[in-house]
Amino acid sequence: QQQVKQSPQSLIVQKGGISIINCAYENTAFDYFPWYQQFPGKGPALLIAIRPDVSEKKEGRFTISFNKSAKQFSLHIMDSQPGDSATYFCAASKAAGNKLTFGGGTRVLVKP
Amino acid sequence: ETGVTQSPTHLIKTRGQQVTLRCSSQSGHNTVSWYQQALGQGPQFIFQYYREEENGRGNFPPRFSGLQFPNYSSELNVNALELDDSALYLCASSLLGLVNEQYFGPGTRLTVT
């Protein structure tokens, strides 16, 4: 059972454009939603995370939007750069459990 | 502050063999979680160790086992290797109870032939 669904599977964006990745979850007990960035041959790196008591969180060019009633959250990458080309994973976990449930990933390619 | 390290980087084993993967957690972290990432997929939770005890397990058979040591480092052992065990094995460390942030190591690429 896939508890976190991520879309699209892949994305091509021009340099300077906006990349948008969406995730939907099923388990209402989830209350921590991180995004990870992974380059080929590397482990996932924590990018930004949000808890459901806020609807938006911004860190630099990365913004998470959260819709608790719809059980959806998204990552926006503003002013996309070629160095942002990577695979992005959304994830979710319960308060104290620490077990992360990941989405299937989105491969982002930023064209110069 | 040192990050999460894993060894070895790559490993090739034959079906039926056993393998041990190692992980050193980030300084100050007391919890280690192991994940399996098949090619083109998101990581799947195997199990977590906290204070040397298993603290949660995903949908993996008993031939996947682990240990955590007093210095919080950890091992993942897989017995009777199958071809489908070929994957990137990731270790993540965190501080249980206060924050949920997990920091991943670079992974061990296991190939079973």
Side-chain angles (χ1 to χ4, degrees), chain A residues 49-88:
Chain A
I50 197 168
R51 295 184 187 269
D53 52 344
V54 297
S55 60
E56 186 175 282
K57 182 175 181 180
K58 182 177 181 179
E59 288 184 3
R61 296 184 294 108
F62 301 92
T63 300
I64 299 179
S65 297
F66 186 83
N67 186 330
K68 187 174 181 178
S69 61
K71 294 188 287 185
Q72 295 176 347
F73 58 110
S74 61
L75 176 70
H76 290 61
I77 307 174
M78 313 300 286
D79 188 26
S80 296
Q81 300 296 312
D84 297 331
S85 297
T87 300
Y88 293 81

Side-chain angles (χ1 to χ4, degrees), chain A residues 6-48:
Chain A
Q6 184 171 345
S7 63
Q9 287 187 319
S10 63
L11 181 59
I12 299 174
V13 62
Q14 292 296 128
K15 179 182 175 182
I18 303 173
S19 303
I20 302 174
I21 306 170
N22 301 298
C23 284
Y25 64 97
E26 300 170 3
N27 191 339
T28 55
F30 288 150
D31 74 344
Y32 172 73
F33 303 89
W35 285 87
Y36 284 84
Q37 178 190 58
Q38 187 176 31
F39 293 104
K42 304 291 186 182
L46 180 62
L47 202 55
I48 186 173

Side-chain angles (χ1 to χ4, degrees), chain A residues 31-32 36 38 41-46 49 51 89 93-105, chain B residues 31 33 35 37 40-43 45 48 55 88 90 94-106:
Chain A
D31 74 344
Y32 172 73
Y36 284 84
Q38 187 176 31
K42 304 291 186 182
L46 180 62
R51 295 184 187 269
F89 292 96
S93 72
K94 299 177 186 177
N98 264 337
K99 165 192 169 182
L100 287 169
T101 299
F102 282 85
Chain B
T31 303
S33 303
Y35 293 80
Q37 185 178 23
Q41 298 182 22
F45 176 75
Q48 181 184 86
N55 183 48
L88 181 68
L90 296 161
S94 58
L95 194 59
L96 189 68
L98 293 178
V99 292
N100 297 68
E101 295 178 356
Q102 293 192 34
Y103 295 90
F104 284 83

Side-chain angles (χ1 to χ4, degrees), chain B residues 26-94:
Chain B
Q26 184 167 311
S27 176
H29 285 178
N30 58 12
T31 303
V32 172
S33 303
W34 286 91
Y35 293 80
Q36 180 196 66
Q37 185 178 23
L39 200 61
Q41 298 182 22
Q44 297 290 316
F45 176 75
I46 302 174
F47 44 55
Q48 181 184 86
Y49 277 83
Y50 171 64
R51 291 185 175 179
E52 303 176 53
E53 297 285 334
E54 187 177 288
N55 183 48
R57 187 180 185 91
N59 190 26
F60 281 81
R63 59 189 185 83
F64 286 77
S65 63
L67 284 172
Q68 187 181 32
F69 301 99
N71 66 354
Y72 305 126
S73 65
S74 177
E75 287 183 354
L76 164 66
N77 299 288
V78 187
N79 294 320
L81 284 167
E82 300 177 359
L83 296 179
D84 284 348
D85 295 334
S86 295
L88 181 68
Y89 287 86
L90 296 161
C91 164
S93 75
S94 58

